[in-house]
Structure formats: C-alpha cells, structure tokens
Amino acid sequence: MPALTADRNTPRADGDVESYGVAAAALIYAGAIVALSATGFATPGATATTLVTVGRAEERVDNTDGAAGDVKVRVRRGVFQFANSAGADEITAAEIGDDCYIVDDQTVAKTDDTGARSVAGKVVQVDDNGVWVKLGIV
C-alpha cells in the first residue's frame, strides 16, 4: 500500500484485556498466569520453553473436552501478585526490574532453570505475600 494521501480512521484497541483461543484439553483458572503456546493458543502457565506470557486470566475457562480454539479466555495485562519460588529460585528485592520465570500457573521463579522455563514478566515488587509481576505483551 502506498503512504497516506488523506486522513485515515485507524482502528484501535485499548489492549488491557484481550481474548485468546484456548488450547485443546486445557483448563485455565481465573487468576492464573496465561501464556500462548508455540501454536498460538492460550494455556495455563507451566514450566516450558516456548511460552509467551500474555497476562492473567479474567475468568475460568474449561476446554478439556474441546479442540484448540473452541472457546476463548479473556486475559488482562498489568501487574499482579503471584507465589514466590523457594530456595535458590526465590525472588528477592534484588531482582526488582529483572525478568522472572513461569513455574506453574500461580508461581514465578528467579531463574529459567537452565533454559527450561519461559519468561513470566518483570518483577515490580516483592513482599511477604509474593511477587508482583508485570505481565503481558508490550
């Protein structure tokens, strides 16, 4: 397409909440870390190397009996509190601003476990109740 020669009504989306087709046989709980698999379908956060975190599930969606994309899940970008890993993978205030990694749909860790985990998001804050993480595609 050539460059504009007149005004254009460019569509926009707020981008805070998006809907994604859910992977086959997946159950996503409300409040879970949600990521896209290599095939582009939403799946609960898990230890895997090919996931792209998109946000937190706004609702519970059960596609355990469905094919990929049969249902959609609403996912919100933003900063959310998740459980902290323990031991050598426990996130501390020293990691604020660093990437953290998906352990499961509610837990994040300091390391990628030698390349076994995908990035969850950026550590924003750490407190006694968990880790505040900025999630979502920017």
Side-chain angles (χ1 to χ4, degrees), residues 6 20 30 35 39 47 60 67 75 91 103-104 110 124 135:
Y20 298 97
T39 59
T47 296
R60 177 185 169 137
V75 178
I91 298 168
V103 174
D104 57 37
K110 177 174 26 180
V124 173
L135 302 180

Side-chain angles (χ1 to χ4, degrees), residues 27-118:
L27 170 61
I28 299 174
Y29 291 99
I33 297 170
V34 178
L36 299 181
S37 67
T39 59
F41 290 100
T43 185
T47 296
T49 59
T50 59
L51 300 179
V52 175
T53 303
V54 290
R56 182 208 61 198
E58 290 287 280
E59 60 198 340
R60 177 185 169 137
V61 175
D62 187 348
N63 198 30
T64 53
D65 295 325
D70 277 356
V71 296
K72 291 190 173 207
V73 62
R74 288 182 307 117
V75 178
R76 183 175 299 275
R77 292 186 313 162
V79 178
F80 306 99
Q81 185 184 65
F82 294 103
N84 198 347
S85 284
D89 262 338
E90 183 174 2
I91 298 168
T92 69
E95 282 77 51
I96 292 174
D98 292 349
D99 285 339
C100 62
Y101 300 87
I102 304 170
V103 174
D104 57 37
D105 60 357
Q106 69 165 345
T107 309
V108 293
K110 177 174 26 180
T111 73
D112 68 359
D113 192 26
T114 317
R117 298 179 182 135
S118 297

